Amino acid sequence: MAKAALSGGWIFFPRLPCVFYWERMFWLLFFLVPAIHTQLCQPDGENAFKVRLSIKTALGDKSYVWDTNEEYLFRAMVAFAMRKVPNRETTDISHVLLCNVTKRVSFWFVVTDPLKNHTLPAAEVQSAIRMNRDRINNAFFLNDQTLEFLKIPSTLAPPSDPATPIWIIVFGVIFCIVIVAITLLILSGIRQRRRSNRGPSESLQILLFTQENGVHPIFFSAEASHSYQVLVK
Amino acid sequence: MEKTRPLWANPLQFVFACISYAVGLGNVWRFPYLCQMYGGGSFLVPYIIMLIVEGMPLLYLELAVGQRMRQGSIGAWRTISPYLRGVGVASVVVSFFLSMYYNVINAWAFWYLFHSFQDPLPWSVCPLNGNRTGYDEECEKASSTQYFWYRKTLNISPSIQENGSVQWEPALCLILAWLVVYLCILRGTESTGKVVYFTASLPYCVLIIYLVRGLTLHGATNGLLYMFTPKLEQLANPKAWINAATQIFFSLGLGFGSLIAFASYNEPSNNCQKHAIIVSLINSCTSIFASIVTFSIYGFKATFNYENCLNKVILLLTNTFDLEDGFVTTNNLEQVKIDLASAYPDKYSEVFPQIKNCSLESELSTAVQGTGLAFIVYTEAIKNMEVSQLWSVLYFFMLLMLGIGSMLGNTAAILTPLTDSKVISSHLPKEAIAGLVCLINCAVGMVFTMESGNYWFDIFNDYAATLSLLLIVLVETVAVCYVYGLRRFESDLQSMTGRSLNWYWKIMWAGVSPLLIISLLIFYLSDYILTGTLQYQAWDASQGQLVTKDYPTYALAFIGLLVASSTMCIPLVALGTFVLHRLKHGDTAPVA
């Protein structure tokens, strides 16, 4: 009987086994509410959003089966998101309605107001979902691409821009090393050339000094790998 | 004490210098393209034949001339015949043009190297547009790697007429590149001899690492099979043979004067025949080795894109028909398409235009060469590898080593004649001459960092060296064999090295190689004349792809000037020498 109710429309009960008036109303509402629910939540309905999950693509071997418990969690997350909106703090799980669940896994959902006679505006739902997209994704181990809310664009993460671009730092390091190396080479070249220009006069002075002090007259000049053998009488 | 000519510390330095010069970017980005275009494995046949017939003889000739004359290109050709000094001058001019634009590639390699230290790599994601709801438009139409190359690196203008301003980031990288080159050539053979140990060997280390990584990538075998399957009908295509000859010719770097310069620092008794064979063999083997690496990377990239394409089609079908996630796989895709078409014909025909036909063949057949291969295709493959920063750093470091190694040869070709000339070297020390050359090249190179710089780069790349080099080498061969005399040269070599000249070299130098070069020259000239106006590829930002445009008149005039300025040196200097001697000595001819 409940299944028949879900397909919509009035169901006649020729004889209810209930005694009290309120019991009868209760059973009436019990079958009426799903019927109203189905009218509120419809594909392409007003303020309805389609959700598409790709669990197997995202998780592969670790994927879980989409069953009514997962649907309950989803409804809980949407209700949680709505409760963060001002004036909607009393949103309950029962206010979130799901319909048309396919094998894909995809379904439509709406959020109704506490009296359950109309749906909340799409803009409110959209902004609530966008604010809490991260939490909703994490609850299902999915991301923006595998848990899609069609018609709700996800805010793209801005690229991380450090204050100084990294390439300038590396460039600066290498530039300084090269400049230092060039300076060293040029200076050593100049020094070498100056030493080879001074060469002959300096070795002559040392020769005179050793001769006066009686040191062994044969010596070798150390610079420019030339050896001078000087014999002194 | 008189100044002796500086020498290489050992023959190994000379071999490494030649290898480092000859093995350059062309081995990595031109040979794989030619292999793909002209029949895969069967291209190796014309390539090896041309190596034996053209590459080895001409290389040996240049090394022998340099080692015998013991001077840079201008001095060497003046010794052969005073009228032929123009050949040396032409070599220096062409080397000058080459070093102007070649170092810009090193600047780009530095730019990419510095940007490889970021996570994620900047060319792997598109930047967001203004209001953060989507990606930048140009980047969407092209790909993120193309966007990074054309917009972030070059900031390219839509055509060669629009010059734009000098971009400071590539300009900084160019200054750094020239400083690095200056550091290496500062002390002549002393410093160059040590640097070439690294620039010759490090690229091979990186290539081996990439070979191992490339062969283990998913889909690498697809690329290798595609490339090496020989298409024997291409052997009948004359273009295959012409391109093989051209590739050998330019890959060895003949005619620039660098080989003469390097050989002039040799001991006279050095066995340059052995070295010539070794260098040319290593150069060709490196080309083949690099193309194996390139094609395994191609295969990986093509397979990746093919599988992406298939996944997009699967997602589209799954979403449109609300099928169970994971129901459609690559194996049953075709069957599912047929089933859906029969079960839901209306819905299927609606979605049919969006279903792309994914083909691995079409992904593999996109043949790219030049900067496009190095900076767009390779980076696209690298961004999909794990630990992509490491692979990116390794790859651009290898490009830098290859480029700097070739730059050392280019600058040696310019500097050796300058330091040999007594006029200049008596006034300035060699550090100052080197510094001046680097400074002038760097200043002119700033043109290539403007927004239209890449178009001028293409002009230099295509026209500055091609025709002039063929002419220079032709005149060189004819000069040695007929002006100087083959027998005289043979006896010189015998007294110098102690080995007699094999008959094979004599036949090649005197007959086969000059004929080959003449036929290449005829082919090139007829190609230019038949094509009519020259065209270039310009980047269209609104479409996100390259479009063909005609060169404006002033660009055509500039191209003519480029070619003329080097080729005209030969006859002009010959004429000038003739006139001078006529004035000095009356009618008597000068003695060499």
Side-chain angles (χ1 to χ4, degrees):
Chain A
M1 263 187 168
K3 274 203 194 144
L6 279 171
S7 62
W10 289 90
I11 310 292
F12 277 108
F13 307 103
R15 251 177 43 142
L16 278 170
C18 330
V19 175
F20 302 106
Y21 172 72
W22 65 266
E23 220 186 307
R24 202 172 296 171
M25 290 312 293
F26 170 75
W27 282 112
L28 212 61
L29 268 169
F30 183 77
F31 292 117
L32 199 62
V33 162
I36 296 178
H37 282 191
T38 59
Q39 280 174 350
L40 285 174
C41 175
Q42 274 182 25
D44 292 320
E46 196 190 339
N47 300 330
F49 290 95
K50 184 168 182 183
V51 181
R52 198 153 57 196
L53 287 93
S54 312
I55 308 174
K56 234 178 253 176
T57 319
L59 301 169
D61 289 333
K62 302 197 209 94
S63 59
Y64 46 83
V65 179
W66 186 261
D67 53 11
T68 44
N69 295 329
E70 305 286 342
E71 286 178 26
Y72 190 85
L73 177 59
F74 182 81
R75 291 162 66 207
M77 293 306 296
V78 173
F80 162 76
M82 288 309 297
R83 283 169 91 105
K84 295 227 167 149
V85 176
N87 291 335
R88 300 288 176 206
E89 287 92 345
T90 52
T91 316
D92 197 44
I93 292 184
S94 52
H95 300 154
V96 183
L97 310 172
L98 263 57
C99 50
N100 268 63
V101 185
T102 65
K103 271 190 312 180
R104 167 69 182 84
V105 174
S106 69
F107 48 84
W108 292 80
F109 78 93
V110 287
V111 186
T112 61
D113 70 324
L115 298 170
K116 298 207 175 94
N117 45 12
H118 68 267
T119 54
L120 296 184
E124 272 188 41
V125 180
Q126 184 168 346
S127 75
I129 301 277
R130 283 185 83 175
M131 296 292 222
N132 300 286
R133 191 64 188 270
D134 223 15
R135 299 283 294 270
I136 302 177
N137 285 349
N138 283 337
F140 293 98
F141 304 126
L142 299 171
N143 59 27
D144 279 358
Q145 279 77 43
T146 38
L147 171 56
E148 295 169 83
F149 287 82
L150 302 180
K151 286 193 292 174
I152 302 186
S154 46
T155 326
L156 298 164
S160 55
D161 266 334
T164 6
I166 299 181
W167 78 269
I168 289 203
I169 300 175
V170 188
F171 169 83
V173 166
I174 300 202
F175 191 79
C176 291
I177 294 178
V178 171
I179 296 271
V180 165
I182 289 179
T183 331
L184 283 175
L185 275 182
I186 293 183
L187 286 177
S188 74
I190 295 178
R191 209 178 306 144
Q192 221 175 47
R193 210 170 300 128
R194 222 178 278 162
R195 220 181 294 151
S196 60
N197 282 343
R198 268 183 315 172
S201 52
E202 208 176 74
S203 46
L204 195 60
Q205 285 180 355
I206 298 174
L207 168 64
L208 291 172
F209 174 73
T210 52
Q211 196 183 11
E212 284 167 21
N213 286 295
V215 183
H216 197 287
I218 298 176
F219 75 97
F220 294 92
S221 154
E223 68 250 308
S225 72
H226 293 292
S227 55
Y228 291 100
Q229 240 186 20
V230 180
L231 287 167
V232 179
K233 280 201 282 249
Chain B
M1 202 186 42
E2 57 166 272
K3 214 166 114 186
T4 53
R5 191 172 184 79
L7 296 174
W8 297 110
N10 53 51
L12 196 63
Q13 279 190 356
F14 167 65
V15 176
F16 270 28
C18 288
I19 292 176
S20 165
Y21 168 66
V23 172
L25 294 167
N27 300 65
V28 172
W29 74 30
R30 177 118 174 108
F31 181 79
Y33 168 78
L34 289 177
C35 224
Q36 189 177 6
M37 292 292 283
Y38 295 110
S42 53
F43 182 71
L44 290 176
V45 172
Y47 187 69
I48 293 178
I49 292 180
M50 287 298 164
L51 171 68
I52 299 176
V53 161
E54 183 199 356
M56 284 190 204
L58 291 174
L59 181 63
Y60 182 28
L61 181 71
E62 287 222 357
L63 290 183
V65 166
Q67 192 168 306
R68 162 75 185 82
M69 307 300 167
R70 310 205 76 221
Q71 293 186 70
S73 52
I74 298 184
W77 294 109
R78 193 188 51 223
T79 319
I80 290 201
S81 159
Y83 292 116
L84 286 177
R85 200 170 7 157
V87 176
V89 176
S91 289
V92 172
V93 170
V94 173
S95 289
F96 193 69
F97 289 152
L98 184 77
S99 56
M100 256 194 263
Y101 80 82
Y102 201 87
N103 221 14
V104 180
I105 305 176
N106 288 335
W108 291 331
F110 266 122
W111 167 264
Y112 269 83
L113 179 68
F114 296 151
H115 277 88
S116 308
F117 290 98
Q118 276 174 245
D119 182 31
L121 289 172
W123 52 82
S124 58
V125 285
C126 275
L128 303 176
N129 63 11
N131 47 5
R132 292 224 204 130
T133 51
Y135 296 113
D136 185 282
E137 202 188 308
E138 189 183 348
C139 197
E140 286 277 290
K141 294 226 177 76
S143 64
S144 55
T145 44
Q146 280 180 314
Y147 176 79
F148 188 76
W149 169 243
Y150 285 112
R151 190 53 46 214
K152 286 287 159 80
T153 311
L154 300 174
N155 197 14
I156 204 164
S157 62
S159 74
I160 198 172
Q161 282 100 323
E162 291 153 62
N163 280 328
S165 57
V166 171
Q167 310 293 307
W168 65 271
E169 298 103 335
L172 275 183
C173 292
L174 183 64
I175 293 175
L176 178 64
W178 274 111
L179 281 175
V180 171
V181 169
Y182 180 55
L183 177 65
C184 299
I185 59 173
L186 183 47
R187 299 279 219 114
T189 47
E190 205 185 305
S191 50
T192 311
K194 301 206 179 38
V195 172
V196 292
Y197 282 129
F198 296 105
T199 58
S201 50
L202 281 178
Y204 287 100
C205 295
V206 178
L207 272 177
I208 291 175
I209 296 175
Y210 254 92
L211 181 73
V212 175
R213 172 78 266 223
L215 289 176
T216 52
L217 283 172
H218 167 64
T221 36
N222 293 335
L224 286 174
L225 278 173
Y226 181 77
M227 170 188 157
F228 282 115
T229 340
K231 299 175 191 63
L232 289 168
E233 64 274 8
Q234 286 286 343
L235 281 177
N237 183 1
K239 281 211 155 185
W241 293 86
I242 290 172
N243 274 304
T246 326
Q247 173 63 13
I248 289 277
F249 190 87
F250 292 122
S251 177
L252 285 171
L254 304 164
F256 285 103
S258 316
L259 294 163
I260 297 181
F262 281 153
S264 68
Y265 297 119
N266 267 340
E267 300 269 352
S269 56
N270 184 40
N271 184 4
C272 55
Q273 175 185 298
K274 183 174 76 169
H275 291 151
I277 297 178
I278 291 177
V279 170
S280 50
L281 276 177
I282 290 184
N283 182 47
S284 297
C285 290
T286 311
S287 290
I288 299 175
F289 184 41
S291 59
I292 296 180
V293 176
T294 305
F295 273 92
S296 45
I297 304 265
Y298 260 172
F300 165 70
K301 176 184 100 73
T303 313
F304 188 85
N305 287 344
Y306 171 66
E307 284 177 359
N308 255 8
C309 177
L310 281 180
N311 282 335
K312 281 207 186 95
V313 174
I314 290 176
L315 191 66
L316 179 68
L317 286 176
T318 316
N319 286 343
T320 320
F321 295 99
D322 272 330
L323 304 166
E324 191 183 327
D325 186 28
F327 172 69
V328 190
T329 62
T330 46
N331 297 331
N332 60 8
L333 179 61
E334 291 304 314
Q335 188 57 39
V336 167
K337 281 200 320 206
I338 298 172
D339 291 340
L340 287 173
S342 52
Y344 307 96
D346 298 327
K347 226 170 172 186
Y348 191 78
S349 54
E350 256 178 49
V351 100
F352 186 67
Q354 296 172 39
I355 299 180
K356 279 192 273 186
N357 249 339
C358 302
S359 150
L360 189 59
E361 278 278 324
S362 66
E363 293 279 343
L364 281 170
S365 64
T366 48
V368 196
Q369 58 161 335
T371 50
L373 170 61
F375 294 109
I376 299 180
V377 172
Y378 254 94
T379 47
E380 196 179 317
I382 288 174
K383 78 175 199 258
N384 296 325
M385 296 186 197
E386 287 109 47
V387 202
S388 39
Q389 281 81 16
L390 171 68
W391 300 110
S392 181
V393 167
L394 271 180
Y395 172 67
F396 288 110
F397 185 66
M398 176 187 77
L399 279 192
L400 262 178
M401 289 290 110
L402 290 172
I404 290 185
S406 303
M407 276 307 291
L408 295 179
N410 291 334
T411 44
I414 304 173
L415 282 179
T416 311
L418 289 180
T419 47
D420 283 347
S421 114
K422 296 180 187 52
V423 173
I424 300 178
S425 59
S426 55
H427 287 116
L428 292 170
K430 65 173 187 282
E431 286 95 340
I433 302 177
L436 222 66
V437 168
C438 290
L439 191 66
I440 296 175
N441 274 317
C442 187
V444 177
M446 287 295 159
V447 171
F448 302 112
T449 56
M450 289 195 305
E451 286 181 26
S452 58
N454 196 38
Y455 302 127
W456 292 103
F457 175 85
D458 283 333
I459 285 184
F460 271 80
N461 196 19
D462 291 335
Y463 303 109
T466 37
L467 220 55
S468 336
L469 280 181
L470 287 170
L471 194 65
I472 290 174
V473 176
L474 179 64
V475 175
E476 281 184 6
T477 329
V478 167
V480 168
C481 291
Y482 300 109
V483 175
Y484 192 73
L486 188 54
R487 274 186 229 282
R488 189 171 157 200
F489 194 62
E490 185 187 349
S491 62
D492 280 348
L493 283 182
Q494 189 146 6
S495 59
M496 196 172 66
T497 61
R499 284 178 206 86
S500 62
L501 197 60
N502 198 340
W503 56 267
Y504 175 73
W505 303 116
K506 286 191 265 189
I507 297 178
M508 288 297 134
W509 288 351
V512 180
S513 302
L515 285 174
L516 252 174
I517 301 176
I518 291 176
S519 54
L520 280 179
L521 258 177
I522 294 175
F523 162 74
Y524 265 103
L525 285 170
S526 57
D527 200 44
Y528 284 152
I529 296 170
L530 286 173
T531 336
T533 49
L534 301 167
Q535 294 179 316
Y536 69 105
Q537 304 278 71
W539 176 254
D540 187 345
S542 55
Q543 287 181 45
Q545 59 180 25
L546 292 165
V547 293
T548 321
K549 289 195 180 166
D550 287 332
Y551 276 123
T553 350
Y554 67 86
L556 290 173
F558 183 76
I559 294 175
L561 196 66
L562 260 185
V563 179
S565 56
S566 47
T567 46
M568 285 297 130
C569 284
I570 306 177
L572 282 177
V573 171
L575 194 65
T577 323
F578 182 67
V579 165
L580 275 174
H581 277 274
R582 210 74 194 284
L583 291 173
K584 261 198 212 167
H585 303 287
D587 272 7
T588 52
V591 184

